[in-house]
Amino acid sequence: MNDFTIHEDKGLSDRPYMQTKVPKRLWLDLKDVRAVDAYDWGGDNWIGELSVNDDGDLVSDDAEEERKAEYSRKRYITARATFDDKITVFSIAEGALLQFEDIAHIRISAASPEKIGGKNKATIFDGIGFSGMSSKDVPESGLMEGEPGTLFLMTDPYPERGKNDDPSLQLELYLDEPQFEELFATLVANCDKLEKATMNTVIELFENEMQASLNEPWMTSEYGLLQREGKDWVSARARIDGIQVAYSKPRPLLPVVEDQEFENDDPDNTRPTVITFTDEALTKAMRSVRARLGWVIALLVVLLVSLMLTA
């Protein structure tokens, strides 16, 4: 067994029954999508160690290295997501530990094009050759070697602040820089028109051999993240295979009924409720209706007077 292959006790005629960690497709429904523009003080924190000399001045123990620091701009997209499948965190000794149907935090950043895809540019079709009826030992480095994106388990995000959040899945992903900049600019320009966002990801996950053999694409699946004995870090390499963002025009607002405060001289609340329209187009429409009703009433009065005079 390695980090990508588990041999189980039961065996088949020619090989052991196994689980393999290979590229799997996970469709995400994105929520709370935001484009973030941030500036950070990017100092070199690990160059030299400051100390005080005999004259009381601060000096570095690495005089040849000059500390550099300046504000740096960072642009990224954040979201959270739900999905129809299940991801189970498990260990060999204890079995299932945690199960998730959502990702609490997603961060998408720009990367140079040659980084995304890693060494092998592996796809889910490559994974089919190492899972299900075709299961065989996955190489020690896995199929998605060098892929920069990561899905990981966060168990205690801020222990130094005394905050102990529930365990959650978090996802760091990357887009080629030109495509990222286009998406970022579009989100900023149309944030009020965002209607739906989905993302197609490929993630190295374990899958039961039987499920991998029999599941159809439209069926839900249960995937696994292995927690190795003695290790707290649980992760899997990940990549965006596609992202879709839909926009639409803002819908007209419905009329708002304003609550009226009645005075003591009107105990029966006989005064009418005031209705105001918060959308300009609806307000114009109501004015037009009132104007037409006024003409209709006037014509009815004229007709009634005419009938009375001829009677």
Side-chain angles (χ1 to χ4, degrees):
M1 185 191 78
N2 58 33
D3 287 344
F4 300 90
T5 308
I6 299 174
H7 291 177
E8 300 191 9
D9 292 337
K10 52 187 176 181
L12 302 175
S13 59
D14 57 343
R15 61 173 176 83
Y17 193 83
M18 63 179 66
Q19 295 187 47
T20 53
K21 183 179 181 180
V22 297
K24 296 294 180 182
R25 189 177 306 284
L26 197 67
W27 287 96
L28 305 180
D29 288 321
L30 301 182
K31 317 288 183 183
D32 301 332
V33 181
R34 293 181 173 88
V36 180
D37 207 341
Y39 292 84
D40 295 328
W41 177 256
D44 293 330
N45 298 320
W46 307 111
I47 294 180
E49 182 177 343
L50 293 178
S51 60
V52 181
N53 63 13
D54 295 338
D55 297 327
D57 298 324
L58 282 174
V59 295
S60 173
D61 62 357
D62 192 345
E64 295 182 1
E65 292 286 347
E66 180 184 356
R67 289 191 173 190
K68 297 178 181 179
E70 59 183 3
Y71 284 105
S72 61
R73 186 183 189 186
K74 296 181 180 179
R75 294 153 68 92
Y76 51 89
I77 297 167
T78 64
R80 59 184 181 86
T82 58
F83 47 89
D84 293 333
D85 299 310
K86 294 179 174 62
I87 294 180
T88 301
V89 179
F90 69 100
S91 70
I92 301 300
E94 301 180 47
L97 304 172
L98 298 164
Q99 192 169 76
F100 299 94
E101 296 179 55
D102 69 298
I103 298 175
H105 180 74
I106 298 172
R107 175 168 167 157
I108 303 172
S109 306
S112 54
E114 65 273 8
K115 289 186 178 180
I116 299 176
K119 180 180 178 181
N120 304 312
K121 308 295 189 290
T123 69
I124 60 170
F125 299 104
D126 297 312
I128 292 173
F130 288 85
S131 62
M133 298 296 291
S134 306
S135 290
K136 53 181 176 285
D137 290 352
V138 179
E140 290 283 344
S141 55
L143 300 184
M144 295 178 68
E145 180 182 2
E147 193 73 63
T150 307
L151 173 72
F152 59 95
L153 175 67
M154 180 65 78
T155 55
D156 195 0
Y158 306 106
E160 71 279 4
R161 303 180 194 175
K163 183 178 180 180
N164 187 14
D165 287 352
D166 292 332
S168 63
L169 290 180
Q170 305 205 14
L171 189 56
E172 293 277 351
L173 292 169
Y174 298 89
L175 275 175
D176 287 350
E177 190 167 2
Q179 285 73 34
F180 174 84
E181 294 298 336
E182 289 178 5
L183 178 60
F184 189 94
T186 304
L187 284 173
V188 170
N190 299 279
C191 59
D192 60 330
K193 302 174 185 176
L194 180 62
E195 182 173 300
K196 183 177 178 62
T198 57
M199 187 160 59
N200 168 20
T201 60
V202 172
I203 307 174
E204 275 184 321
L205 296 167
F206 280 100
E207 186 176 18
N208 177 279
E209 181 174 335
M210 185 67 69
Q211 176 182 283
S213 300
L214 300 179
N215 257 29
E216 297 293 339
W218 50 268
M219 296 179 178
T220 57
S221 300
E222 181 180 353
Y223 300 118
L225 276 173
L226 175 62
Q227 183 172 33
R228 299 298 300 269
E229 300 301 323
K231 294 184 179 180
D232 295 329
W233 183 251
V234 180
S235 65
R237 292 176 291 214
R239 181 181 71 241
I240 297 174
D241 253 21
I243 186 167
Q244 303 81 33
V245 183
Y247 305 94
S248 65
K249 293 182 179 180
R251 294 180 176 85
L253 299 176
L254 295 176
V256 176
V257 178
E258 295 182 351
D259 293 332
Q260 301 297 305
E261 300 225 359
F262 300 107
E263 299 178 1
N264 293 334
D265 62 350
D266 189 22
D268 296 326
N269 290 350
T270 58
R271 296 180 185 176
T273 298
V274 176
I275 298 179
T276 59
F277 291 84
T278 57
D279 182 78
E280 184 179 354
L282 288 175
T283 303
K284 291 181 179 179
M286 292 302 297
R287 288 173 182 169
S288 176
V289 169
R290 286 197 295 266
R292 293 179 182 179
L293 284 175
W295 280 105
V296 171
I297 293 172
L299 289 173
L300 288 175
V301 171
V302 171
L303 181 60
L304 182 60
V305 171
S306 298
L307 291 174
M308 293 177 63
L309 292 175
T310 56

